[in-house]
Amino acid sequence: MPNLILVVDDDDLLRVQLCDLMQQAGYQVAQASNGSEALAAYTRLQPEIVLIDAIMPVMDGFTCCTELQKLPGGVNTPILMITALENQAFVERAFAVGATDYITKPIQWEVLRQRVSRLIEASLHVKVLRQQTEQAQLQEAQLRMALDAARMGTWDWDVVTNQITWSDNLEVLFGLEPGSFETTYAAFIECVFPEDRNYISRSVIEAIQKEAEYDIEYR
């Protein structure tokens, strides 16, 4: 399904031109004539990007951008502000209220098409990364719950940097006070039954040198 673009401008002629241009470029289009209408349309339709004029009656583009950030998903939606002015103060104000980019009038249509295309592409990439991050966090939480239920832990040793990362429940498993474990290999060995320590060290060295499987039991 084509991406949906919300076009917001009080100039009826320009708004129709913008809508026609976006439709010709293959997008779905919704429209509003002021910021207040734009907020209602955004809430109802959840567009992929918002093209909004800066100066409008009822509610201008700056105020609309500010309010849009408060809506569900608003902070992650690209906003391309359209303005007849181009000065440093104006640009700073646009970005301060949440605009992702801006374009000046008279609009160069090919430039606008390129800006919209790139903003949507970047937004989609961010969404994918966010979903992957959320999925990874969920899987991590599920693993942590499973380990806690089974009274098991995990560790990862980067032999190049000699950095070891232990699971959060290690101190509980070893009966140590929270915050007392030094998170080093030497500290770990001290927690092992003395007669098993050499066996563990030999197994670790063999796994590293021979790229063998490390799968042992110890007390």
Side-chain angles (χ1 to χ4, degrees), residues 1-21:
M1 180 179 295
N3 294 305
L4 176 62
I5 297 177
L6 176 59
V7 178
V8 188
D9 201 306
D10 64 313
D11 185 325
D12 295 339
L13 178 59
L14 180 57
R15 188 174 68 251
V16 169
Q17 289 178 326
L18 287 170
C19 289
D20 287 344
L21 175 68

Side-chain angles (χ1 to χ4, degrees), residues 90-141:
F90 185 96
V91 172
E92 290 178 357
R93 184 182 177 191
F95 287 134
V97 297
T100 312
D101 201 352
Y102 74 98
I103 191 168
T104 56
K105 301 176 183 177
I107 296 174
Q108 299 181 40
W109 302 116
E110 183 57 33
V111 173
L112 177 61
R113 276 195 294 263
Q114 291 294 332
R115 294 275 184 88
V116 169
S117 175
R118 290 175 182 176
L119 286 173
I120 290 178
E121 183 179 0
S123 177
L124 292 176
H125 282 312
V126 170
K127 283 185 177 180
V128 170
L129 290 174
R130 188 178 299 113
Q131 290 171 353
Q132 292 174 341
T133 300
E134 291 174 352
Q135 183 64 28
Q137 290 173 340
L138 175 61
Q139 291 175 344
E140 182 180 352

Side-chain angles (χ1 to χ4, degrees), residues 141-153 168-169 172-173:
Q142 292 172 334
L143 174 61
R144 189 179 299 110
M145 292 174 60
L147 291 173
D148 289 343
R151 291 188 57 76
M152 297 175 61
D168 295 336
N169 62 347
V172 174
L173 294 177

